[in-house]
Amino acid sequence: MTRHVALFRGINVGKAKRIAMADLRALLLEMGYLNVSTLLNSGNAVFEAQGRARHAARIRAAVHERLGVDAQVIVKTAAEIKTAMDGLPLVEQAAADPSRLLVAFCEDAASLVALRALSTQAVGDERFVVGAAAAYLWCANGILESRLPEALLKMTGSSGTTRNWATLAKIHQALSA
């Protein structure tokens, strides 16, 4: 069995796309996933399953059908999350304020590579680096003050989602438990 995390894009933000984490856990268990747990209220579900057999598409379809919410889902293995954490190029910034460091995950390598164009849009103390497993965005003045998070999500279209470094550390811990 392989440990995975399902990263939902845009659920439980404001009043739209609301999903109770208890309902999500129950649904994933009904789908045959094992050792399911959720983390925070922002759409992070850790589970065990065989292989990578289209988990993201399967989960997205089931959530839409059963819970009435259509949201992009990116599924990563515990090893992929570890690689993203180990490959952090902005170590000093993450240590200073992990809530200002966004980590972007894409469905595929091509979508991740396409994000490199954003590095030219970083201004002032902002930094944007595309690594092997994820892209990293340091928002020196806070995420709400930066224009890059919105541009990042537009560039990824429906193939990406972000988590701040503090949340990613919690996900990594849950995957390692």
Side-chain angles (χ1 to χ4, degrees), residues 79-116:
E80 289 170 321
I81 296 297
K82 183 179 183 329
T83 298
M85 296 204 60
D86 291 347
L88 175 65
L90 304 170
V91 175
E92 185 177 309
Q93 289 87 346
D97 188 346
S99 69
R100 291 181 183 217
L101 177 63
L102 287 180
V103 182
F105 293 97
C106 295
E107 286 179 339
D108 55 53
S111 297
L112 189 61
V113 169
L115 294 177
R116 288 201 172 114

Side-chain angles (χ1 to χ4, degrees), residues 2-124:
T2 302
R3 303 272 294 159
H4 298 81
V5 62
L7 305 168
F8 287 78
R9 180 172 169 178
I11 68 164
N12 297 347
V13 178
K15 295 180 183 179
K17 294 187 177 184
R18 304 295 300 175
I19 297 177
M21 292 299 98
D23 293 344
L24 178 59
R25 281 190 303 276
L27 177 59
L28 293 174
L29 287 166
E30 287 174 27
M31 293 175 69
Y33 294 115
L34 303 174
N35 296 317
V36 176
S37 62
T38 54
L39 180 65
L40 306 173
N41 195 37
S42 57
N44 306 297
V46 173
F47 61 93
E48 290 181 4
Q50 296 287 349
R52 292 267 325 225
R54 297 186 39 87
H55 298 302
R58 217 176 139 233
I59 292 168
R60 181 178 185 172
V63 167
H64 188 225
E65 180 182 316
R66 297 275 302 282
L67 303 178
V69 173
D70 186 23
Q72 177 65 29
V73 180
I74 305 287
V75 173
K76 296 295 179 184
T77 65
E80 289 170 321
I81 296 297
K82 183 179 183 329
T83 298
M85 296 204 60
D86 291 347
L88 175 65
L90 304 170
V91 175
E92 185 177 309
Q93 289 87 346
D97 188 346
S99 69
R100 291 181 183 217
L101 177 63
L102 287 180
V103 182
F105 293 97
C106 295
E107 286 179 339
D108 55 53
S111 297
L112 189 61
V113 169
L115 294 177
R116 288 201 172 114
L118 277 178
S119 63
T120 61
Q121 294 183 35
V123 295

Side-chain angles (χ1 to χ4, degrees), residues 9 104-106 111-112 115 151-161:
R9 180 172 169 178
F105 293 97
C106 295
S111 297
L112 189 61
L115 294 177
L152 173 70
L153 289 175
K154 281 182 182 176
M155 280 193 79
T156 62
S158 63
S159 70
T161 189

